Amino acid sequence: MPRPNTAAIAGLTLAALLGLAGCDTVGLSPEATPAPAAPPPVQPVPEQLMTDVRVLSADDMEGRDTGSPGGERARAYIVSRLEAIGIAAPPMGRLQPFAAEVPTRSGPTRYAGTNILGLIPGTRVPDRYIVISAHYDHVGTRDGLIYNGADDNASGVATMLEIATQLKAQPPEHSVIIVAFDGEERGLIGAKHFVQAPPVPLASIALNLNFDMTARAETDGHLWVTGTYQHPTLRPMLEPVPAVGPVSLAFGKDTPQDTGANNWVEASDHGAFFKAGIPFLYLGVDYHPDYHRPSDDFERITPSVFASATEVAVSAFRALDQGMDR
């Protein structure tokens, strides 16, 4: 996610975020002593979910920069996963190459990248499409350090692949285009190309549901939903989505009062859909101290929290799929 870092992020500590809870039982008889509260149920962790994050954020992916050998290896892995799940390619093909010139510290640089596509036919409104997206690139290496991008955004890709797996088992009502975008960190260039050369007419795209950073919800216990301010009819569909374990949906970071780094309307690939006038929703966790740092590693992810966030994401998709176009 190409959002600016802040000093406040660096100052966060897990203890300060989570806090402590206690119970005063002074003066109570043994019979009146309250029983300890039952811990929240632990969400079962799909083994493949963690495997996908681990593989995509491994050192041999070299930070998955657009146009790099590591990015090519990540692309090959995602293609193999879509094939293993049984997700067909759309008529235009599995891969969507693109090139764009973007400003960098050393001057204008041309990047060649490749989006990865899949198609799942819908059962109720097959001529209307929900684009489920997550970018697979990250920032590569800097000063000899590998930026593995486990949360940003190997996690979003893993969540997207888990949704694809569940949709293969229980087909969606809308047709779904799965897109792993390249070039997000270089200015959303893969998403911009997709909108300029879509595999289906733009008018038939009902929604872009974009996932970027879905693993580290322990920061505040939320998977944030951005875009309901712009598309208020979608919020009532999502409000009933229940929490899973410690993770629940929260709405915001999309109003005129949300400024700077706290406004996520154009913070990731959904920004290209927003600019094109296509309905969008973005789901992701809040900032954490490892954001855009070499320490954004697989080992920093708590599996049960990530599994909970992913299951909330699945439920959010189902609610939207069933509620739209009625």
Side-chain angles (χ1 to χ4, degrees):
M1 180 191 302
R3 300 186 294 209
N5 209 338
T6 67
I9 301 169
L12 293 176
T13 66
L14 188 59
L17 290 167
L18 295 180
L20 297 173
C23 179
D24 186 0
T25 61
V26 174
L28 295 178
S29 67
E31 293 76 16
T33 301
V42 176
Q43 179 68 13
V45 179
E47 181 179 352
Q48 188 65 56
L49 182 74
M50 298 308 298
T51 297
D52 289 339
V53 177
R54 178 179 55 78
V55 171
L56 289 170
S57 61
D59 284 350
D60 62 1
M61 295 294 178
E62 301 175 305
R64 307 187 307 276
D65 196 4
T66 300
S68 71
E72 184 175 350
R73 284 191 287 273
R75 180 163 61 253
Y77 177 78
I78 295 167
V79 168
S80 72
R81 288 284 293 116
L82 290 174
E83 296 289 342
I85 296 167
I87 305 300
M92 73 179 297
R94 177 73 74 197
L95 303 179
Q96 184 186 43
F98 63 88
E101 188 173 272
V102 300
T104 67
R105 295 175 183 176
S106 57
T109 302
R110 189 169 181 81
Y111 286 93
T114 306
N115 297 328
I116 308 165
L117 311 180
L119 177 63
I120 306 171
T123 59
R124 175 171 61 89
V125 275
D127 58 343
R128 297 277 285 165
Y129 296 85
I130 297 176
V131 175
I132 299 179
S133 61
H135 76 91
Y136 69 94
D137 65 298
H138 194 50
V139 300
T141 61
R142 296 176 180 176
D143 301 321
L145 298 174
I146 302 174
Y147 286 64
N148 283 320
D151 195 20
D152 188 12
N153 184 36
S155 66
V157 174
T159 293
M160 180 180 70
L161 291 172
E162 175 62 21
I163 293 175
T165 300
Q166 295 201 27
L167 295 186
K168 185 65 177 177
Q170 182 182 345
E173 297 185 8
H174 291 74
S175 291
V176 169
I177 299 173
I178 299 289
V179 189
F181 282 125
D182 199 356
E184 190 265 0
E185 299 286 1
R186 297 299 177 181
L188 319 185
I189 54 178
K192 290 174 181 177
H193 179 78
F194 178 94
V195 169
Q196 294 166 358
V200 296
L202 288 183
S204 67
I205 297 178
L207 178 70
N208 169 226
L209 186 61
N210 186 42
F211 296 99
D212 195 345
M213 295 172 56
T214 56
R216 302 282 296 275
E218 69 271 10
T219 299
D220 59 6
H222 294 313
L223 192 62
W224 283 87
V225 181
T226 292
T228 60
Y229 177 84
Q230 288 73 22
H231 307 288
T233 59
L234 299 177
R235 180 162 177 166
M237 302 178 198
L238 294 177
E239 285 178 333
V241 171
V244 177
V247 183
S248 61
L249 293 179
F251 300 86
K253 304 183 184 295
D254 52 12
T255 74
Q257 290 73 42
D258 298 315
T259 59
N262 202 42
N263 190 302
W264 296 355
V265 171
E266 298 183 56
S268 183
D269 289 312
H270 57 278
F273 293 83
F274 168 67
K275 286 289 192 181
I278 299 168
F280 74 94
L281 290 175
Y282 164 56
L283 274 68
V285 304
D286 211 338
Y287 298 111
H288 53 73
D290 300 310
Y291 167 69
H292 268 209
R293 293 186 177 183
S295 54
D296 183 9
D297 290 326
F298 171 75
E299 291 76 15
R300 300 292 181 101
I301 294 173
T302 301
S304 60
V305 174
F306 182 30
S308 292
T310 294
E311 196 55 38
V312 170
V314 173
S315 296
F317 169 79
R318 292 291 189 188
L320 293 163
D321 183 38
Q322 295 164 13
M324 294 169 55
D325 294 307
R326 291 289 181 181

